């Protein structure tokens, strides 16, 4: 009879309710920890992409403002021939060119499959009808030609 009780499932230590609850609790904690870690890495990745796109947006907006400054200082220089306006225009055009180079290089980065990562930006910079790279470089060249005339 003692052997029967020892083999019985009723006295099996693996069949105790507290043991089942402990195992279920540990599995639930592991699942929660896995979801938390996965969510953390997802949020970090999204934040990195947003930071990169915010930088691009900032540089594009800065480039727009600099182009307006270049035109303003160039007009002032053409009317009054003040060296201060010429110097300001040259500083603005140099910064404009720096921003343009960053944005153009940003658009031609490729992923592991040799595809452009940012196809829409690449299209705007290097393909018709916009050809923004050619137009921006022409703007820089003609402005410098004017200021050094």
């Amino acid at each position: 009879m003692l052997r029967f009780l020892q083999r019985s499932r009723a006295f099996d230590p693996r069949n105790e309710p507290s043991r089942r609850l402990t195992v279920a609790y540990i599995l639930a904690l592991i699942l929660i920890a896995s979801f938390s870690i996965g969510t953390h890495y997802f949020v970090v990745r999204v934040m990195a992409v947003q930071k990169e796109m915010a930088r691009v947006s900032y540089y594009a907006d800065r480039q727009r403002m600099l182009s307006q400054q270049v035109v303003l200082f160039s007009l002032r220089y053409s009317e009054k021939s003040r060296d201060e306006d010429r110097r300001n225009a040259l500083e603005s055009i140099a910064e404009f060119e720096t921003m343009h180079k960053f944005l153009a290089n940003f658009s031609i980065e490729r992923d592991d499959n040799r595809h452009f990562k940012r196809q829409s930006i690449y299209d705007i910079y290097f393909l018709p009808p916009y050809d923004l790279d050619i137009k921006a470089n022409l703007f820089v060249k003609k402005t410098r030609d004017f200021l050094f005339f």
Side-chain angles (χ1 to χ4, degrees):
M1 180 83 160
L2 187 59
R3 276 192 153 158
F4 174 74
L5 289 176
Q6 287 175 345
R7 290 185 187 172
S8 170
R9 297 185 86 203
F11 297 105
D12 187 2
R14 292 176 292 184
N15 202 21
E16 292 180 36
S18 63
R19 179 159 173 86
R20 284 185 182 177
L21 285 175
T22 303
V23 169
Y25 181 73
I26 290 172
L27 289 176
L29 286 177
I30 290 171
L31 185 64
I32 290 170
S34 300
F35 283 139
S36 296
I37 291 169
T39 302
H40 170 73
Y41 285 115
F42 177 75
V43 167
V44 166
R45 176 74 176 128
V46 167
M47 287 174 52
V49 169
Q50 285 182 338
K51 183 178 180 181
E52 182 178 78
M53 295 314 293
R55 189 173 67 177
V56 169
S57 178
Y58 169 76
Y59 282 2
D61 192 46
R62 181 101 174 115
Q63 190 178 24
R64 178 198 54 80
M65 189 251 338
L66 288 167
S67 68
Q68 292 171 344
Q69 279 185 352
V70 167
V71 171
L72 173 70
F73 292 134
S74 296
L75 284 173
R76 282 186 191 168
Y77 177 69
S78 71
E79 293 171 356
K80 299 179 182 174
S81 296
R82 293 189 322 189
D83 283 338
E84 180 184 354
D85 291 328
R86 181 176 175 270
R87 188 174 51 255
N88 287 337
L90 287 171
E91 288 173 6
S92 294
I93 200 70
E95 192 173 349
F96 175 90
E97 190 175 26
T98 301
M99 298 294 156
H100 174 70
K101 285 179 182 177
F102 167 80
L103 291 169
N105 289 335
F106 179 80
S107 70
I108 60 174
E109 290 178 5
R110 295 177 182 256
D111 61 14
D112 294 336
N113 297 326
R114 306 304 299 157
H115 295 115
F116 294 110
K117 288 183 178 178
R118 298 147 190 98
Q119 187 66 44
S120 59
I121 297 174
Y122 177 84
D123 292 348
I124 291 170
Y125 267 80
F126 298 105
L127 298 176
Y130 302 108
D131 290 322
L132 191 59
D133 183 55
I134 293 170
K135 292 175 183 175
N137 288 326
L138 186 63
F139 173 71
V140 169
K141 182 187 180 315
K142 294 224 180 246
T143 302
R144 283 201 173 121
D145 289 348
F146 169 74
L147 293 171
F148 287 115
F149 179 65

